[in-house]
């Protein structure tokens, strides 16, 4: 609403590029008028040339003619650049880039986002399905071990079997649970230290501890206990020049 009439005519001339409906372009007309007025001075400018030598202004006359011709050439270039076809073609190219290509890229990004959301939904469905299947398997196993038998004798026998299974499971957990302390580790370290310089023998002694304990007929030692003691001995050998000594090695080395 703040555009002047002349400015609006210039914009319409290049936007529509219609020689019949929007033929008037004030900017192009001003340029053509300037060119016509400059051409009208042609005879006057060149008429001064014969008097340049008499008036001792040859240099000034040459500069005037050069600037005059240069101005004519520049105005011709401006008139050519202000033609509707050239600017309208640039406008069409920019419009296609912004509207057509922009919409296509926006659609591709939107489709990619939808695909990511769909994949997340499918992943959640797969995870949920897996958990449901695991729950069903667990329920089936639970029901398998909790069948109710009407016969009293059969129920009693089943109860005994179940108690035996629970007892075995408890013993199994008791065996797998580490049941040693720092004193046990320290005792194992003391046994392994004399073999520290020969890594092959050291490993053999560690395996022997796991099989038969401190003597061939002894009780096997916990594998985690032997592994921890062996690790401390090997670390001490590898860092023998260090000032740090593992607390369990105190008074042993």
């Amino acid at each position: 609403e703040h555009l002047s009439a002349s400015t609006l005519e210039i914009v319409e001339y290049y936007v529509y590029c219609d020689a019949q409906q929007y033929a008037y372009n004030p900017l192009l007309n001003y340029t053509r008028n300037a060119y016509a007025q400059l051409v009208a001075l042609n005879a006057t400018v060149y008429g001064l040339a014969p008097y340049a030598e008499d008036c001792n202004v040859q240099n000034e006359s040459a500069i005037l003619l050069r600037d005059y011709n240069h101005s004519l050439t520049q105005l011709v270039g401006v008139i050519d650049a202000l033609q509707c076809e050239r600017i309208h073609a640039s406008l069409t190219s920019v419009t296609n880039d912004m509207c057509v290509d922009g919409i296509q890229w926006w659609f591709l990004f939107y489709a990619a986002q939808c695909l990511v959301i769909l994949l997340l939904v499918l992943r959640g469905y797969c995870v949920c399905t897996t958990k449901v299947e695991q729950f069903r398997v667990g329920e089936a196993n639970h029901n398998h071990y909790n069948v109710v038998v009407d016969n009293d004798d059969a129920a009693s026998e089943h109860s005994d079997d179940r108690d035996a299974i629970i007892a075995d499971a408890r013993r199994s957990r008791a065996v797998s649970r580490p049941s040693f302390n720092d004193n046990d580790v320290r005792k194992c370290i003391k046994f392994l230290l004399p073999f520290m310089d020969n890594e092959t023998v050291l490993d053999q002694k560690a395996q022997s501890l796991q099989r038969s304990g401190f003597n061939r007929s002894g009780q096997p030692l916990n594998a985690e206990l032997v592994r921890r003691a062996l690790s401390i001995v090997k670390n001490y050998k590898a860092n023998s020049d260090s000032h740090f000594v593992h607390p369990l090695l105190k008074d042993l080395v």
Side-chain angles (χ1 to χ4, degrees):
E1 60 182 295
H2 300 292
L3 294 178
S4 64
S6 298
T7 303
L8 187 59
E9 288 175 342
I10 295 172
V11 173
E12 291 175 342
Y13 179 82
Y14 291 114
V15 169
Y16 297 104
C17 198
D18 187 347
Q20 296 180 354
Q21 189 173 0
Y22 302 98
Y24 183 69
N25 182 359
L27 181 60
L28 182 59
N29 290 342
Y30 295 153
T31 307
R32 285 173 175 169
N33 290 336
Y35 177 76
Q37 292 176 8
L38 195 60
V39 170
L41 297 175
N42 187 69
T44 303
V45 172
Y46 279 94
L48 297 175
Y51 304 102
E53 184 175 355
D54 297 338
C55 297
N56 194 25
V57 289
Q58 295 92 334
N59 293 335
E60 290 78 359
S61 177
I63 293 174
L64 176 62
L65 289 174
R66 183 190 64 191
D67 291 344
Y68 174 74
N69 292 325
H70 181 71
S71 298
L72 289 175
T73 303
Q74 291 294 320
L75 284 174
V76 171
V78 171
I79 292 173
D80 183 62
L82 290 177
Q83 296 303 313
C84 171
E85 290 77 9
R86 297 185 61 177
I87 296 181
H88 184 74
S90 299
L91 176 63
T92 302
S93 177
V94 172
T95 304
N96 290 336
D97 291 340
M98 293 295 294
C99 297
V100 179
D101 294 344
I103 292 175
Q104 290 178 351
W105 279 109
W106 171 84
F107 176 77
L108 290 176
F109 286 133
Y110 181 76
Q113 291 177 350
C114 293
L115 179 60
V116 171
I117 294 174
L118 178 61
L119 292 176
L120 290 175
V121 172
L122 291 177
R123 176 183 176 276
Y125 173 77
C126 294
V127 172
C128 182
T129 303
T130 302
K131 290 183 178 180
V132 170
E133 290 297 328
Q134 292 175 352
F135 175 77
R136 289 176 178 175
V137 172
E139 283 292 314
N141 291 336
H142 177 74
N143 293 334
H144 176 74
Y145 289 107
N146 289 278
V147 176
V148 177
V149 182
D150 293 335
N151 186 280
D152 293 340
D153 295 336
S156 177
E157 182 181 354
H158 174 73
S159 177
D160 293 340
D161 292 340
R162 184 178 59 185
D163 292 341
I165 292 174
I166 293 174
D168 290 340
R170 289 176 177 174
R171 284 195 297 270
S172 176
R173 287 197 297 268
V175 171
S176 61
R177 186 184 299 115
S179 57
F180 57 86
N181 53 34
D182 288 347
N183 290 332
D184 297 326
V185 178
R186 182 178 173 84
K187 184 178 179 182
C188 190
I189 292 173
K190 184 177 180 180
F191 176 83
L192 293 174
L193 275 175
F195 313 103
M196 178 179 63
D197 294 332
N198 191 325
E199 187 170 351
T200 302
V201 176
L202 181 63
D203 291 336
Q204 292 175 353
K205 292 297 182 180
Q207 294 175 5
S208 175
L209 289 175
Q210 295 183 40
R211 291 193 304 268
S212 58
F214 294 103
N215 52 67
R216 293 184 178 180
S217 60
Q219 182 179 2
L221 298 184
N222 185 285
E224 177 62 20
L225 163 64
V226 177
R227 186 197 64 78
R228 191 173 301 179
L230 182 63
S231 175
I232 293 173
V233 173
K234 287 187 175 182
N235 185 65
Y236 171 70
K237 179 186 176 183
N239 301 279
S240 58
D241 56 344
S242 174
H243 295 292
F244 172 77
V245 177
H246 195 283
L248 294 180
L249 285 170
K250 189 176 180 181
D251 298 331
L252 294 180
V253 294

